[in-house]
Amino acid sequence: VNARMSAAEAKLAETIRSGREDLVALVRDLIGFDTTTVGETAVGCRQEHALQEYLADRLRTAGLETELWEPDLAGYRPQNTPSQIDFAGRPQLAARLEGSGRGDSLLLLGHVDCVPVEPIALWSTNPFHAARRDGRIYGRGAADMKGGVASLLFALETLVRLGFRPRGDITFCSVTDEESSGAGSVAAVGHGVQASAGLCAENTGFDIWTACRGSVVFEIEIEGRAGHAECRQPDWKAGGAVNAIDKTIPILQALSGLGAAWSSRPDLHHPLLPAGDAVVVGIHGGEWEVTYPSRCTTTVNIQFLPHQVSDSDGIDVLREEVEHAILAVTESDEWLANHPPKCSWRPWVIPGEMDAGHPLVGLVSDCARKVGREAPIRGLDSWHDPANFIRLGETPTLSFGPGLLACSHITDEWVSEEDLVDHCIASALILLDYCG
Ligand SMILES: [Zn+2]
């Protein structure tokens, strides 16, 4: 036992350590529910309800007041939620352990959805029947982030069993849709889930993520004109064919130049995050192999920094910049000038950053050290639910969890049992101190 722990802390750590088999069983139970994402439009459901009910049962048993609800997001923050999203059979969960009155409240946060298991033939084990091998648990979501959810729950259960009664409220919240649109946490914030600060157990590998980028996907549709691909064509003004794919190429070049330009701009420098980028993630064009393509649609993923969002959470400036780069191409091409590309922007996930000087950050780092882990402050290039709690809900929230980021979304996804136990102890110590 680490010398820097008090006697009470050491006892807590020992209790969790001796409960390792139960913690592992909990992780395996969670992996057993198929909660692979149903995607951005979120039509239909898998076993989200059963998993949330399982968590709710355990939280109720631990004495928490629990609520499961299927949100209705009609008209709520349309800029950040897919228009057709449907939560039927996919409830969100919030459970509260009421504090004795004074003291800071803490939010424990996790997402229960995970990415698809394809290519399933490459898995060495059944992704929904977690295998234990060499001190690791293998299965979809083991790292991202059923391991983290289990760890937070087990820490809370252990504290309650030992008679811990917090001064500030503790809220445990598990959401869906992190892997697709982030709409689960938008809904949770909209429902009023909040605290003085929040701890999300994404698989940070014991790093502390205080910041993340936002992203938005948009489509550019370029029009061409169909015609026989093997016959000479007159000029387009004389009725000749126009190849929509050829017309797309300079636009792709302009887009790939954006990332480079952004990373050299001092106003887009961030200590924890790379500057934004524009990545072409899809291209679809052409109707027939002997026909000039009449249409080409390009899908682009744009990432951006927290300070590129306006106070009202808008991204107008960024959009204008991107569209300006496209416009510069179209102005120099007569066909494109006469047939301007159509850009359609989807809802975006909002970037977020909490103050690295917040007391929770220092506490997490201290508690990590007590279990022999260094917890450096870093940023997440991609996105995580804390951003919604920070930006839309004013709950400064960080991610700190077991499992490596490199294990996210891979075949044979795994989390180490030792990471789980250490994270669970650190989380219990955080709760004890922050809400105690
Ligand atoms: Zn995750």
Side-chain angles (χ1 to χ4, degrees), residues 111 113-114 143-146 178-179 200-203 209 383-385 405 408-409:
H111 67 82
D113 57 323
C114 36
D144 186 12
M145 61 167 285
K146 290 177 174 178
E178 193 274 347
E179 300 290 2
C200 178
E202 283 279 12
N203 48 317
W209 295 340
W383 184 87
H384 58 165
D385 283 315
L405 178 58
S408 286
H409 307 191

PDB file of all heavy atoms in Angstrom, residues 111 113-114 143-146 178-179 200-203 209 383-385 405 408-409, ligand 1:
ATOM      1  N   HIS A 111     -20.363   6.797 -21.267  1.00  0.00           N
ATOM      2  CA  HIS A 111     -21.286   6.412 -22.340  1.00  0.00           C
ATOM      3  C   HIS A 111     -21.350   4.897 -22.433  1.00  0.00           C
ATOM      4  O   HIS A 111     -20.346   4.216 -22.180  1.00  0.00           O
ATOM      5  CB  HIS A 111     -20.914   7.056 -23.680  1.00  0.00           C
ATOM      6  CG  HIS A 111     -19.618   6.603 -24.293  1.00  0.00           C
ATOM      7  ND1 HIS A 111     -19.499   5.450 -25.034  1.00  0.00           N
ATOM      8  CD2 HIS A 111     -18.373   7.164 -24.283  1.00  0.00           C
ATOM      9  CE1 HIS A 111     -18.253   5.330 -25.470  1.00  0.00           C
ATOM     10  NE2 HIS A 111     -17.538   6.351 -25.012  1.00  0.00           N
ATOM     11  N   ASP A 113     -22.741   3.258 -25.212  1.00  0.00           N
ATOM     12  CA  ASP A 113     -22.698   2.764 -26.596  1.00  0.00           C
ATOM     13  C   ASP A 113     -21.259   2.464 -26.978  1.00  0.00           C
ATOM     14  O   ASP A 113     -20.313   2.980 -26.369  1.00  0.00           O
ATOM     15  CB  ASP A 113     -23.313   3.786 -27.564  1.00  0.00           C
ATOM     16  CG  ASP A 113     -22.641   5.158 -27.510  1.00  0.00           C
ATOM     17  OD1 ASP A 113     -22.257   5.598 -26.409  1.00  0.00           O
ATOM     18  OD2 ASP A 113     -22.483   5.790 -28.568  1.00  0.00           O
ATOM     19  N   CYS A 114     -21.088   1.602 -27.947  1.00  0.00           N
ATOM     20  CA  CYS A 114     -19.748   1.357 -28.477  1.00  0.00           C
ATOM     21  C   CYS A 114     -19.824   1.210 -29.990  1.00  0.00           C
ATOM     22  O   CYS A 114     -20.911   1.107 -30.559  1.00  0.00           O
ATOM     23  CB  CYS A 114     -19.064   0.162 -27.813  1.00  0.00           C
ATOM     24  SG  CYS A 114     -20.116  -1.197 -27.393  1.00  0.00           S
ATOM     25  N   ALA A 143     -12.421  -1.223 -23.328  1.00  0.00           N
ATOM     26  CA  ALA A 143     -11.712   0.021 -23.028  1.00  0.00           C
ATOM     27  C   ALA A 143     -12.634   1.231 -23.192  1.00  0.00           C
ATOM     28  O   ALA A 143     -12.682   2.102 -22.322  1.00  0.00           O
ATOM     29  CB  ALA A 143     -10.489   0.156 -23.949  1.00  0.00           C
ATOM     30  N   ASP A 144     -13.358   1.253 -24.282  1.00  0.00           N
ATOM     31  CA  ASP A 144     -14.139   2.437 -24.678  1.00  0.00           C
ATOM     32  C   ASP A 144     -15.629   2.153 -24.612  1.00  0.00           C
ATOM     33  O   ASP A 144     -16.218   1.811 -25.619  1.00  0.00           O
ATOM     34  CB  ASP A 144     -13.709   2.864 -26.088  1.00  0.00           C
ATOM     35  CG  ASP A 144     -14.352   4.151 -26.532  1.00  0.00           C
ATOM     36  OD1 ASP A 144     -14.958   4.842 -25.709  1.00  0.00           O
ATOM     37  OD2 ASP A 144     -14.251   4.459 -27.730  1.00  0.00           O
ATOM     38  N   MET A 145     -16.336   2.335 -23.476  1.00  0.00           N
ATOM     39  CA  MET A 145     -15.749   2.610 -22.185  1.00  0.00           C
ATOM     40  C   MET A 145     -16.514   1.910 -21.087  1.00  0.00           C
ATOM     41  O   MET A 145     -16.826   2.479 -20.058  1.00  0.00           O
ATOM     42  CB  MET A 145     -15.642   4.133 -21.941  1.00  0.00           C
ATOM     43  CG  MET A 145     -17.001   4.834 -21.942  1.00  0.00           C
ATOM     44  SD  MET A 145     -16.974   6.545 -21.297  1.00  0.00           S
ATOM     45  CE  MET A 145     -16.834   6.327 -19.547  1.00  0.00           C
ATOM     46  N   LYS A 146     -16.827   0.629 -21.343  1.00  0.00           N
ATOM     47  CA  LYS A 146     -17.552  -0.129 -20.321  1.00  0.00           C
ATOM     48  C   LYS A 146     -16.653  -0.419 -19.118  1.00  0.00           C
ATOM     49  O   LYS A 146     -17.149  -0.515 -17.988  1.00  0.00           O
ATOM     50  CB  LYS A 146     -18.128  -1.401 -20.929  1.00  0.00           C
ATOM     51  CG  LYS A 146     -19.272  -1.074 -21.901  1.00  0.00           C
ATOM     52  CD  LYS A 146     -19.866  -2.270 -22.600  1.00  0.00           C
ATOM     53  CE  LYS A 146     -21.092  -1.823 -23.417  1.00  0.00           C
ATOM     54  NZ  LYS A 146     -21.702  -2.931 -24.169  1.00  0.00           N
ATOM     55  N   GLU A 178     -22.655   8.518 -27.737  1.00  0.00           N
ATOM     56  CA  GLU A 178     -21.394   9.259 -27.779  1.00  0.00           C
ATOM     57  C   GLU A 178     -20.660   8.972 -29.077  1.00  0.00           C
ATOM     58  O   GLU A 178     -20.026   9.841 -29.650  1.00  0.00           O
ATOM     59  CB  GLU A 178     -20.502   8.890 -26.582  1.00  0.00           C
ATOM     60  CG  GLU A 178     -19.321   9.836 -26.364  1.00  0.00           C
ATOM     61  CD  GLU A 178     -18.069   9.486 -27.172  1.00  0.00           C
ATOM     62  OE1 GLU A 178     -17.993   8.377 -27.731  1.00  0.00           O
ATOM     63  OE2 GLU A 178     -17.188  10.336 -27.271  1.00  0.00           O
ATOM     64  N   GLU A 179     -20.752   7.722 -29.539  1.00  0.00           N
ATOM     65  CA  GLU A 179     -19.973   7.303 -30.711  1.00  0.00           C
ATOM     66  C   GLU A 179     -20.556   7.808 -32.030  1.00  0.00           C
ATOM     67  O   GLU A 179     -19.928   7.676 -33.071  1.00  0.00           O
ATOM     68  CB  GLU A 179     -19.848   5.777 -30.756  1.00  0.00           C
ATOM     69  CG  GLU A 179     -19.155   5.154 -29.538  1.00  0.00           C
ATOM     70  CD  GLU A 179     -17.662   5.465 -29.482  1.00  0.00           C
ATOM     71  OE1 GLU A 179     -17.151   6.181 -30.345  1.00  0.00           O
ATOM     72  OE2 GLU A 179     -17.010   4.984 -28.535  1.00  0.00           O
ATOM     73  N   CYS A 200     -15.429  11.937 -16.138  1.00  0.00           N
ATOM     74  CA  CYS A 200     -15.840  10.939 -17.131  1.00  0.00           C
ATOM     75  C   CYS A 200     -14.703   9.927 -17.248  1.00  0.00           C
ATOM     76  O   CYS A 200     -13.530  10.306 -17.245  1.00  0.00           O
ATOM     77  CB  CYS A 200     -16.087  11.638 -18.469  1.00  0.00           C
ATOM     78  SG  CYS A 200     -16.555  10.533 -19.809  1.00  0.00           S
ATOM     79  N   ALA A 201     -15.050   8.637 -17.326  1.00  0.00           N
ATOM     80  CA  ALA A 201     -13.998   7.605 -17.301  1.00  0.00           C
ATOM     81  C   ALA A 201     -13.669   7.063 -18.695  1.00  0.00           C
ATOM     82  O   ALA A 201     -13.492   5.867 -18.879  1.00  0.00           O
ATOM     83  CB  ALA A 201     -14.399   6.477 -16.356  1.00  0.00           C
ATOM     84  N   GLU A 202     -13.589   7.954 -19.684  1.00  0.00           N
ATOM     85  CA  GLU A 202     -13.118   7.519 -21.006  1.00  0.00           C
ATOM     86  C   GLU A 202     -11.725   6.905 -20.861  1.00  0.00           C
ATOM     87  O   GLU A 202     -10.982   7.229 -19.920  1.00  0.00           O
ATOM     88  CB  GLU A 202     -13.029   8.717 -21.969  1.00  0.00           C
ATOM     89  CG  GLU A 202     -14.365   9.190 -22.513  1.00  0.00           C
ATOM     90  CD  GLU A 202     -14.884   8.364 -23.690  1.00  0.00           C
ATOM     91  OE1 GLU A 202     -14.325   7.275 -23.959  1.00  0.00           O
ATOM     92  OE2 GLU A 202     -15.864   8.810 -24.313  1.00  0.00           O
ATOM     93  N   ASN A 203     -11.357   6.060 -21.798  1.00  0.00           N
ATOM     94  CA  ASN A 203     -10.076   5.356 -21.713  1.00  0.00           C
ATOM     95  C   ASN A 203      -8.908   6.275 -22.065  1.00  0.00           C
ATOM     96  O   ASN A 203      -8.349   6.222 -23.140  1.00  0.00           O
ATOM     97  CB  ASN A 203     -10.084   4.118 -22.604  1.00  0.00           C
ATOM     98  CG  ASN A 203     -10.606   4.385 -24.005  1.00  0.00           C
ATOM     99  OD1 ASN A 203     -11.594   5.089 -24.184  1.00  0.00           O
ATOM    100  ND2 ASN A 203      -9.956   3.834 -24.999  1.00  0.00           N
ATOM    101  N   TRP A 209      -7.796  14.469 -19.503  1.00  0.00           N
ATOM    102  CA  TRP A 209      -8.156  15.296 -20.670  1.00  0.00           C
ATOM    103  C   TRP A 209      -9.028  16.448 -20.201  1.00  0.00           C
ATOM    104  O   TRP A 209     -10.146  16.238 -19.722  1.00  0.00           O
ATOM    105  CB  TRP A 209      -8.939  14.487 -21.699  1.00  0.00           C
ATOM    106  CG  TRP A 209      -8.187  13.363 -22.339  1.00  0.00           C
ATOM    107  CD1 TRP A 209      -6.838  13.192 -22.415  1.00  0.00           C
ATOM    108  CD2 TRP A 209      -8.764  12.232 -23.021  1.00  0.00           C
ATOM    109  NE1 TRP A 209      -6.535  12.026 -23.096  1.00  0.00           N
ATOM    110  CE2 TRP A 209      -7.702  11.430 -23.477  1.00  0.00           C
ATOM    111  CE3 TRP A 209     -10.081  11.842 -23.299  1.00  0.00           C
ATOM    112  CZ2 TRP A 209      -7.909  10.243 -24.191  1.00  0.00           C
ATOM    113  CZ3 TRP A 209     -10.288  10.667 -24.001  1.00  0.00           C
ATOM    114  CH2 TRP A 209      -9.208   9.879 -24.445  1.00  0.00           C
ATOM    115  N   TRP A 383     -13.341  13.996 -29.820  1.00  0.00           N
ATOM    116  CA  TRP A 383     -14.414  14.595 -29.009  1.00  0.00           C
ATOM    117  C   TRP A 383     -14.853  13.619 -27.923  1.00  0.00           C
ATOM    118  O   TRP A 383     -14.793  12.400 -28.119  1.00  0.00           O
ATOM    119  CB  TRP A 383     -15.601  14.924 -29.925  1.00  0.00           C
ATOM    120  CG  TRP A 383     -16.710  15.628 -29.226  1.00  0.00           C
ATOM    121  CD1 TRP A 383     -16.835  16.979 -29.048  1.00  0.00           C
ATOM    122  CD2 TRP A 383     -17.863  15.040 -28.601  1.00  0.00           C
ATOM    123  NE1 TRP A 383     -17.985  17.250 -28.339  1.00  0.00           N
ATOM    124  CE2 TRP A 383     -18.636  16.087 -28.055  1.00  0.00           C
ATOM    125  CE3 TRP A 383     -18.314  13.728 -28.433  1.00  0.00           C
ATOM    126  CZ2 TRP A 383     -19.827  15.872 -27.367  1.00  0.00           C
ATOM    127  CZ3 TRP A 383     -19.497  13.502 -27.747  1.00  0.00           C
ATOM    128  CH2 TRP A 383     -20.247  14.576 -27.228  1.00  0.00           C
ATOM    129  N   HIS A 384     -15.315  14.134 -26.801  1.00  0.00           N
ATOM    130  CA  HIS A 384     -15.918  13.295 -25.760  1.00  0.00           C
ATOM    131  C   HIS A 384     -17.066  14.048 -25.088  1.00  0.00           C
ATOM    132  O   HIS A 384     -17.162  15.275 -25.168  1.00  0.00           O
ATOM    133  CB  HIS A 384     -14.867  12.808 -24.731  1.00  0.00           C
ATOM    134  CG  HIS A 384     -14.123  13.897 -24.026  1.00  0.00           C
ATOM    135  ND1 HIS A 384     -13.387  13.689 -22.885  1.00  0.00           N
ATOM    136  CD2 HIS A 384     -14.016  15.226 -24.288  1.00  0.00           C
ATOM    137  CE1 HIS A 384     -12.849  14.816 -22.487  1.00  0.00           C
ATOM    138  NE2 HIS A 384     -13.215  15.768 -23.310  1.00  0.00           N
ATOM    139  N   ASP A 385     -17.921  13.285 -24.403  1.00  0.00           N
ATOM    140  CA  ASP A 385     -19.115  13.864 -23.779  1.00  0.00           C
ATOM    141  C   ASP A 385     -18.855  15.052 -22.844  1.00  0.00           C
ATOM    142  O   ASP A 385     -19.705  15.944 -22.746  1.00  0.00           O
ATOM    143  CB  ASP A 385     -19.878  12.784 -22.990  1.00  0.00           C
ATOM    144  CG  ASP A 385     -20.684  11.861 -23.894  1.00  0.00           C
ATOM    145  OD1 ASP A 385     -21.362  12.378 -24.803  1.00  0.00           O
ATOM    146  OD2 ASP A 385     -20.656  10.633 -23.677  1.00  0.00           O
ATOM    147  N   LEU A 405      -6.200   4.775 -25.095  1.00  0.00           N
ATOM    148  CA  LEU A 405      -6.924   5.351 -26.231  1.00  0.00           C
ATOM    149  C   LEU A 405      -6.684   4.497 -27.483  1.00  0.00           C
ATOM    150  O   LEU A 405      -7.577   4.331 -28.317  1.00  0.00           O
ATOM    151  CB  LEU A 405      -6.455   6.793 -26.464  1.00  0.00           C
ATOM    152  CG  LEU A 405      -7.078   7.543 -27.636  1.00  0.00           C
ATOM    153  CD1 LEU A 405      -8.591   7.627 -27.515  1.00  0.00           C
ATOM    154  CD2 LEU A 405      -6.480   8.940 -27.775  1.00  0.00           C
ATOM    155  N   SER A 408      -9.237   1.906 -28.445  1.00  0.00           N
ATOM    156  CA  SER A 408     -10.567   2.308 -28.914  1.00  0.00           C
ATOM    157  C   SER A 408     -10.810   1.802 -30.328  1.00  0.00           C
ATOM    158  O   SER A 408      -9.934   1.927 -31.193  1.00  0.00           O
ATOM    159  CB  SER A 408     -10.691   3.837 -28.951  1.00  0.00           C
ATOM    160  OG  SER A 408     -10.816   4.349 -27.652  1.00  0.00           O
ATOM    161  N   HIS A 409     -11.991   1.230 -30.536  1.00  0.00           N
ATOM    162  CA  HIS A 409     -12.493   0.902 -31.880  1.00  0.00           C
ATOM    163  C   HIS A 409     -11.685  -0.183 -32.585  1.00  0.00           C
ATOM    164  O   HIS A 409     -11.825  -0.352 -33.792  1.00  0.00           O
ATOM    165  CB  HIS A 409     -12.534   2.154 -32.787  1.00  0.00           C
ATOM    166  CG  HIS A 409     -13.276   3.322 -32.190  1.00  0.00           C
ATOM    167  ND1 HIS A 409     -13.612   4.438 -32.911  1.00  0.00           N
ATOM    168  CD2 HIS A 409     -13.764   3.544 -30.943  1.00  0.00           C
ATOM    169  CE1 HIS A 409     -14.262   5.300 -32.122  1.00  0.00           C
ATOM    170  NE2 HIS A 409     -14.355   4.764 -30.922  1.00  0.00           N
TER     171      HIS A 409
HETATM  172 ZN    ZN B   1     -15.543   6.619 -25.615  1.00  0.00          ZN
END
